[in-house]
């Protein structure tokens, strides 16, 4: 059969049936309606071109001028208007309007999805892996997408009683702002009447304290790996205008690949703000006069050093890593983090922290008198560069080096500062799966998650925590689940 395009002989054209006429009328009505709105669209023309207003109004990407994929609805609309007697300009405008409508509809749906509140009932507990001053850290699985996370629970009343509200707020603020690969990522934070919850990425490699407990002493090259990454992590905290203030090996987490991720920003504070957690030590510090320490006392500590996780459970933890200026109550800055890093560096290379003592108060004394108490044992066999770096970090805050000085220091001569993530970690965690907890101690505790409690708006215990709730916007390319690291 031949097919003739073009003007047809009216006599030979079959009469359209009723259905076709109805269909044509519907399309005509639609196109007429659209055409009558063209003037309106004309006014928006400029907006369509730069796409900005669409983005603001709908919180979605601007309607694309050209789409790679054409939806079915759009294809059928295009087919219809192709048959109508309208100009190309009008046709394009009708299509543009249609696309914008679709984009708005989609973004509305996405917003609704986003608004679904996250609660504790969305998670299943796998195991408790840590205990802190205000609650536990558990490995959990999110029920809907099966993604694995670390969940930190904290009792609100404990935070209020112990004056920690500002700290947990700082932790939440810092973690939610952090985009650095060296800082543990916070995915959600939420609350009910009893608890606060932080849902973070799970670092299955354990923490630096686990490594030190297992290895005792690290080589200079192993130490260089951890300390260079730690320096980068500390630097990213400072770039966010925070001081960590609680740097110690158990807050240096190890990712599934063996790189470090800094966590526990409970003590992190914006620069120059007031605080009273360290005041316990400050009080002690005022009793600790410089020079009050006798050399005899220092020599007495001959007992083998034993790392102790239980110290972490107390509100104040161990003072081993605190810089001396913290005790002076004169105010301090980001230099305190570099001091702490120096202490960790010493501990990795020597096997125990430099100011270790049986009693925390004794440790505080040693710190204040660091000029006399800091000794690097000869038998530790440290290189000249390593010793020099220790002395440039554990020293008065006026001459202490910071990020720039550290990156230029000879100890890091061969360190690839601009691509640290390409270094091969000294210890790569051997993980059976994404929920492997073999790098953590066993905690003899109630493993189940707290029951879901309601959240009463305006209740007294909730007032200090207004604005705590957070959901990290999904990154474009990154997937949330850590399971995908296991293929
Ligand atoms: N995201 C995480 N992934 C893996 N382990 C974690 C994570 N967060 C915390 N932990 C473990 O739990 C311990 C306590 O958590 P942390 O946030 O440091 O609480 P605290 O403020 O009470 O010290 C850590 O030392 C670490 O062993
Ligand atoms: Mg901690």
């Amino acid at each position: 059969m031949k097919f003739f395009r073009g003007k047809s002989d009216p006599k030979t054209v079959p009469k359209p049936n009723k259905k076709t006429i109805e269909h044509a009328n519907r399309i005509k009505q639609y196109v007429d309606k659209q055409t009558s709105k063209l003037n309106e669209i004309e006014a928006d023309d400029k907006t369509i071109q730069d796409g900005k207003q669409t983005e603001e109004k709908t919180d979605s990407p601007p309607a694309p001028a050209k789409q790679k994929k054409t939806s079915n609805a759009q294809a059928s609309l295009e087919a219809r208007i192709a048959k109508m007697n309208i100009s190309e300009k009008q046709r394009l405008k009708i299509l543009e309007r249609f696309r914008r409508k679709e984009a708005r509809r989609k973004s509305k749906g996405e917003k609704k999805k986003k608004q679904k509140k996250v609660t504790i009932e969305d998670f299943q507990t796998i195991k408790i892996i840590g205990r802190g001053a205000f609650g536990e850290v558990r490995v959990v699985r999110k029920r809907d997408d099966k993604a694995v996370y670390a969940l930190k629970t904290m009792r609100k009343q404990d935070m209020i009683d112990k004056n920690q509200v500002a700290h947990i707020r700082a932790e939440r603020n810092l973690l939610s702002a952090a985009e650095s690969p060296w800082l543990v990522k916070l995915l959600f934070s939420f609350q009910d009447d009893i608890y606060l919850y932080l849902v973070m990425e799970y670092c299955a490699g354990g923490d630096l304290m686990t490594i030190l407990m297992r290895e005792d002493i690290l080589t200079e090259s192993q130490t260089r790996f951890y300390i260079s990454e730690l320096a980068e992590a500390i630097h990213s905290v400072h770039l966010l205008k925070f001081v960590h203030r609680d740097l110690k090996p158990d807050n240096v987490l190890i990712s599934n690949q063996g790189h470090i991720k800094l966590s526990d920003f409970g003590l992190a504070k914006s620069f120059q703000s007031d605080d009273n957690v360290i005041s316990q030590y400050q009080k002690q510090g005022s009793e600790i006069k410089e020079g009050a320490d006798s050399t005899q006392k220092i020599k007495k500590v001959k007992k083998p050093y034993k790392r102790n996780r239980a110290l972490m459970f107390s509100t104040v933890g161990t003072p081993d890593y605190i810089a001396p200026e913290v005790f002076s109550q004169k105010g301090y800055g980001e230099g305190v983090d570099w001091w702490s890093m120096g202490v960790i560096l010493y501990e990795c290379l020597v096997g125990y922290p430099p100011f270790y003592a049986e009693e925390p108060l004794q440790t505080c004394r040693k710190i204040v008198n660091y000029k006399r108490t800091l000794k690097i044992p000869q038998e530790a066999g440290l290189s000249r560069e390593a010793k020099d770096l220790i002395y440039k970090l554990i020293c008065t805050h006026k001459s202490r080096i910071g990020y720039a000085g550290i990156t230029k220091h000879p100890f890091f001569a061969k360190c690839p500062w601009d691509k640290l993530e390409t270094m091969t970690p000294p210890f790569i965690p051997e993980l059976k799966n994404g929920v492997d907890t073999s790098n953590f101690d066993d905690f003899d505790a109630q493993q189940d998650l707290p029951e879901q409690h309601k959240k009463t708006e305006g209740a007294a215990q909730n007032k200090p925590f207004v604005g705590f709730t957070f959901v990290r916007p999904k990154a474009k390319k990154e997937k949330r689940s850590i399971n995908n690291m296991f293929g």
Side-chain angles (χ1 to χ4, degrees):
M1 198 171 74
K2 276 191 178 174
F3 179 73
F4 295 99
R5 197 186 289 275
K7 267 197 173 176
S8 44
D9 179 355
K11 274 176 266 168
T12 59
V13 176
K15 268 198 164 182
N17 64 27
K18 212 176 144 203
K19 219 175 150 192
T20 314
I21 296 169
E22 273 171 15
H23 188 65
N25 282 340
R26 272 206 313 275
I27 293 174
K28 189 173 181 312
Q29 271 171 14
Y30 178 80
V31 175
D32 284 346
K33 204 173 147 198
Q34 297 302 320
T35 317
S36 73
K37 287 183 181 169
L38 281 179
N39 289 343
E40 218 179 283
I41 304 170
E42 211 95 52
D44 287 352
D45 244 10
K46 213 179 157 294
T47 318
I48 296 167
Q49 271 162 23
D50 64 27
K52 267 186 186 160
Q53 193 173 323
T54 314
E55 193 178 26
E56 274 162 23
K57 271 189 195 161
T58 61
D59 200 21
S60 71
K66 276 179 200 164
Q67 271 183 336
K68 275 183 196 158
K69 276 189 190 169
T70 315
S71 69
N72 285 343
Q74 188 181 323
S76 97
L77 175 67
E78 270 186 77
R80 282 178 203 174
I81 53 177
K83 291 181 192 158
M84 306 308 292
N85 189 20
I86 53 172
S87 72
E88 177 63 8
K89 197 178 167 201
Q90 285 175 322
R91 193 184 75 85
L92 286 177
K93 281 185 179 169
I94 291 174
L95 281 177
E96 192 58 67
R97 190 170 177 80
F98 176 79
R99 283 193 201 112
R100 289 172 67 196
K101 230 178 179 175
E102 283 282 283
R104 262 200 296 271
R105 195 175 54 79
K106 257 193 200 159
S107 102
K108 254 189 200 166
E110 265 163 22
K111 258 190 193 165
K112 253 194 185 159
K113 247 195 242 165
K114 256 191 222 164
Q115 277 159 5
K116 191 187 165 289
K117 282 203 175 113
V118 184
T119 74
I120 196 60
E121 295 214 311
D122 294 330
F123 300 92
Q124 260 174 310
T125 188
I126 293 170
K127 200 170 181 239
I128 290 190
I129 51 162
R131 163 112 21 92
F134 302 102
E136 294 90 12
V137 179
R138 290 173 170 82
V139 183
V140 293
R141 197 191 282 284
K142 195 155 183 277
R143 290 181 198 273
D144 58 1
D145 59 4
K146 308 288 175 221
V148 175
Y149 299 108
L151 177 122
K152 187 170 170 177
T153 52
M154 290 153 287
R155 267 180 117 41
K156 282 182 170 178
Q157 202 52 52
D158 288 352
M159 314 281 318
I160 294 169
D161 292 348
K162 289 170 187 161
N163 249 331
Q164 296 293 300
V165 174
H167 298 133
I168 182 58
R169 194 168 275 285
E171 175 162 31
R172 179 257 181 234
N173 288 349
L174 201 150
L175 282 172
S176 58
E179 282 294 342
S180 161
W182 308 110
L183 306 182
V184 75
K185 208 161 249 123
L186 177 75
L187 284 313
F188 316 96
S189 56
F190 51 93
Q191 54 181 311
D192 55 34
D193 278 355
I194 315 291
Y195 292 100
L196 294 172
Y197 303 94
L198 294 175
V199 180
M200 302 165 267
E201 59 183 314
Y202 170 46
C203 300
D207 56 42
L208 187 57
M209 186 173 191
T210 319
I211 292 180
L212 290 172
M213 282 167 102
R214 193 185 62 216
E215 303 293 321
D216 231 15
I217 288 182
L218 301 183
T219 65
E220 289 202 7
S221 104
Q222 290 168 338
T223 302
R224 194 161 19 250
F225 172 89
Y226 292 110
I227 299 297
S228 60
E229 293 201 343
L230 182 55
E232 209 56 46
I234 294 170
H235 183 53
S236 54
V237 170
H238 294 172
L239 286 176
L240 289 164
K241 300 269 177 271
F242 281 88
V243 184
H244 188 288
R245 305 196 316 169
D246 197 22
L247 289 170
K248 43 192 181 185
D250 41 273
N251 287 337
V252 179
L253 305 182
I254 308 296
S255 78
N256 300 22
Q257 288 76 21
H259 292 272
I260 74 135
K261 285 205 185 258
L262 192 54
S263 92
D264 197 0
F265 302 94
L267 280 180
K269 288 228 83 183
S270 288
F271 294 139
Q272 285 158 356
S273 51
D274 220 8
D275 173 50
N276 58 28
V277 126
I278 310 227
S279 65
Q280 295 196 43
Y281 287 127
Q282 286 176 333
K283 252 188 242 150
Q284 295 171 344
S286 58
E287 297 158 23
I288 313 165
K289 289 206 183 77
E290 244 181 89
D293 207 2
S294 77
T295 9
Q296 216 186 354
K297 254 186 204 155
I298 300 156
K299 275 185 187 156
K300 248 167 73 183
V301 189
K302 278 277 170 207
K303 269 192 184 177
Y305 170 65
K306 197 116 191 77
R307 287 193 177 83
N308 182 2
R309 265 198 193 271
L311 261 178
M312 287 162 47
F313 304 163
S314 69
T315 315
V316 285
T318 158
D320 272 293
Y321 306 88
I322 299 176
E325 61 264 32
V326 176
F327 299 107
S328 73
Q329 288 176 302
K330 280 184 204 138
Y332 46 88
E334 53 185 59
V336 300
D337 287 342
W338 298 123
W339 168 286
S340 306
M341 192 183 86
V343 176
I344 299 173
L345 167 70
Y346 181 110
E347 180 170 352
C348 290
L349 295 172
V350 177
Y352 51 87
F355 309 109
Y356 170 71
E358 296 269 296
E359 289 298 318
L361 189 60
Q362 239 180 317
T363 297
C364 296
R365 276 203 192 99
K366 285 186 171 184
I367 293 170
V368 173
N369 293 294
Y370 72 91
K371 279 180 196 147
R372 284 186 305 106
T373 59
L374 175 63
K375 300 252 154 55
I376 301 175
Q378 244 198 327
E379 57 272 25
L382 265 56
S383 69
R384 203 153 47 96
E385 293 80 15
K387 281 192 265 189
D388 187 74
L389 181 58
I390 288 172
Y391 288 126
K392 288 205 161 97
L393 292 168
I394 307 181
C395 62
T396 168
H397 65 97
K398 285 175 201 143
S399 51
R400 198 174 304 153
I401 56 170
Y403 180 71
I406 290 162
T407 51
K408 282 187 210 106
H409 192 276
F411 181 73
F412 294 110
K414 285 183 193 147
C415 188
W417 285 103
D418 50 344
K419 45 180 181 25
L420 291 184
E421 65 287 352
T422 63
M423 297 189 295
T424 307
F427 308 104
I428 299 173
E430 283 173 26
L431 304 170
K432 285 194 213 88
N433 50 47
V435 293
D436 192 315
T437 56
S438 55
N439 290 305
F440 294 89
D441 296 345
D442 282 325
F443 285 83
D444 185 20
Q446 171 76 29
Q447 300 282 327
D448 293 340
L449 281 166
E451 270 174 35
Q452 158 99 58
H453 295 273
K454 61 181 185 328
K455 175 161 175 273
T456 319
E457 288 311 321
Q461 78 275 28
N462 293 338
K463 277 189 183 149
F465 304 103
V466 170
F468 180 82
T469 306
F470 164 80
V471 175
R472 179 172 290 276
K474 256 188 186 163
K476 267 183 199 147
K477 279 185 188 160
E478 183 195 47
K479 288 198 185 139
R480 276 189 194 159
S481 164
I482 65 149
N483 289 345
N484 53 37
M485 291 175 183
F486 295 87

